[in-house]
Amino acid sequence: MLPLLSDVTVDAPRPEPRDAYEVSAEFYDILQADRDRARVRRFYGRDVSTARRGVLDVGAGTGRVTLMSLAESRVPVHAVEPTRSMRCLLMTRLAALPVDLRTRVTVHSQGLDEAGLRAVADVAICHNTIGCLPPAARRALWPAVAGALVPGGVLLVHLPPERLPHDEATHVLPAQKVGQHVYGGRMVMSADADRIRTRFDYWVRGARGVLREYSETFWMWPASRAEVIGELAGSGFVPLPERADPAVLAVRLGRHRRAPGEVESGPATGGARL
């Protein structure tokens, strides 16, 4: 039996920042899901299948890495997604899973530094995430990832663009038909001081032409592979052999952090298995 409305006390919600994906959330999966699903499996599938402690998905979005991790492993999965609109899509997708899969995944609505995760995973993945972080926030992420990994754990980073674009570049997103409507869009990237302006233009068309149009702008910060490796070293990570796709950087968390001036006892070992 439901309570009477007069008996219900509603706490005022805490103020939240503007949702950065309030427009893109509607279009993200329909326009980019197929390509991203294949790329996620190719980038990270082998490592996830070797996980023995857990998988950490940092910036889970609508759940491409999370769902792949549930399918390819038998360990707990931690999905970190602070943005409400993307998290709602993730939760809807998880709700459709069988119970035995759903009970293995925990969704964290805070940033990783606030989630309090300690030694929960031996594989961590940052897919399509760190390019959207300002340099200071990116550097602050690495100690939080190190804390969430067990010693010897592997971190896989989808690298940001290495440099600013020289000219404006446009990428057309393949249009998709949904019933009587066609969804489409494009991504336009250009340099703006030390950042990359990334504008997404979306449209929905019907038999009589354009029904709706939207634009949403994101910012990205370039960083070279060497720069990211240098940042990660400060949190105890050592690079693993380069992957087949240079877009992914693989590093391993050292068995212990060296004290200042301490000499490492031996070379880092490579390989994807833990």
Side-chain angles (χ1 to χ4, degrees):
M1 180 177 178
L2 294 175
L4 297 174
L5 289 180
S6 59
D7 297 330
V8 176
T9 300
V10 179
D11 294 330
R14 293 189 306 170
E16 293 188 4
R18 175 186 172 273
D19 193 326
Y21 295 90
E22 61 184 5
V23 171
S24 293
E26 178 183 357
F27 296 89
Y28 189 85
D29 276 355
I30 192 64
L31 296 181
Q32 302 183 62
D34 288 344
R35 175 176 178 267
D36 206 36
R37 184 184 299 110
R39 185 170 59 166
V40 158
R41 188 171 298 277
R42 185 176 75 251
F43 282 178
Y44 317 116
R46 184 179 62 167
D47 295 272
V48 165
S49 70
T50 70
R52 297 294 176 264
R53 179 66 171 266
V55 177
L56 173 65
D57 181 7
V58 181
T62 63
R64 293 296 161 210
V65 170
T66 296
L67 267 67
M68 183 274 293
S69 299
L70 289 171
E72 296 296 325
S73 76
R74 296 295 179 267
V75 297
V77 176
H78 292 269
V80 177
E81 181 47 63
T83 305
R84 181 186 293 274
S85 59
M86 302 301 264
R87 194 170 65 250
C88 287
L89 296 173
L90 169 61
M91 290 300 299
T92 299
R93 187 166 283 121
L94 294 178
L97 294 179
V99 173
D100 61 326
L101 291 180
R102 197 167 66 233
T103 54
R104 279 201 289 119
V105 60
T106 302
V107 177
H108 303 272
S109 62
Q110 317 98 315
L112 182 59
D113 57 340
E114 300 174 333
L117 298 178
R118 295 291 181 269
V120 298
D122 51 357
V123 176
I125 297 169
C126 294
H127 176 67
N128 201 24
T129 297
I130 69 166
C132 300
L133 298 177
R138 185 182 68 231
R139 291 189 291 268
L141 175 64
W142 307 135
V145 175
L149 280 172
V150 296
V154 168
L155 167 62
L156 304 167
V157 179
H158 185 201
L159 290 168
E162 190 165 358
R163 59 182 64 88
L164 295 169
H166 291 294
D167 304 300
E168 184 176 274
T170 300
H171 172 66
V172 177
L173 303 173
Q176 303 292 332
K177 196 170 192 316
V178 181
Q180 298 177 355
H181 298 161
V182 177
Y183 289 69
R186 64 177 184 171
M187 177 178 67
V188 182
M189 301 179 72
S190 58
D192 189 314
D194 62 341
R195 302 181 295 177
I196 301 172
R197 180 193 299 270
T198 306
R199 189 185 78 243
F200 283 87
D201 300 323
Y202 303 109
W203 49 260
V204 182
R205 290 179 180 155
R208 297 185 178 183
V210 175
L211 302 174
R212 295 184 284 135
E213 289 183 294
Y214 305 97
S215 288
E216 194 164 47
T217 296
F218 302 92
W219 297 99
M220 300 179 69
W221 284 262
S224 69
R225 173 182 289 265
E227 185 177 356
V228 175
I229 288 174
E231 293 174 357
L232 286 161
S235 293
F237 289 97
V238 294
L240 292 171
E242 289 195 19
R243 299 299 173 99
D245 195 314
V248 177
L249 169 65
V251 294
R252 187 186 298 278
L253 183 63
R255 293 290 170 179
H256 71 288
R257 289 194 190 178
R258 285 177 284 165
E262 181 183 354
V263 178
E264 189 173 8
S265 59
T269 57
R273 297 191 66 85
L274 303 182

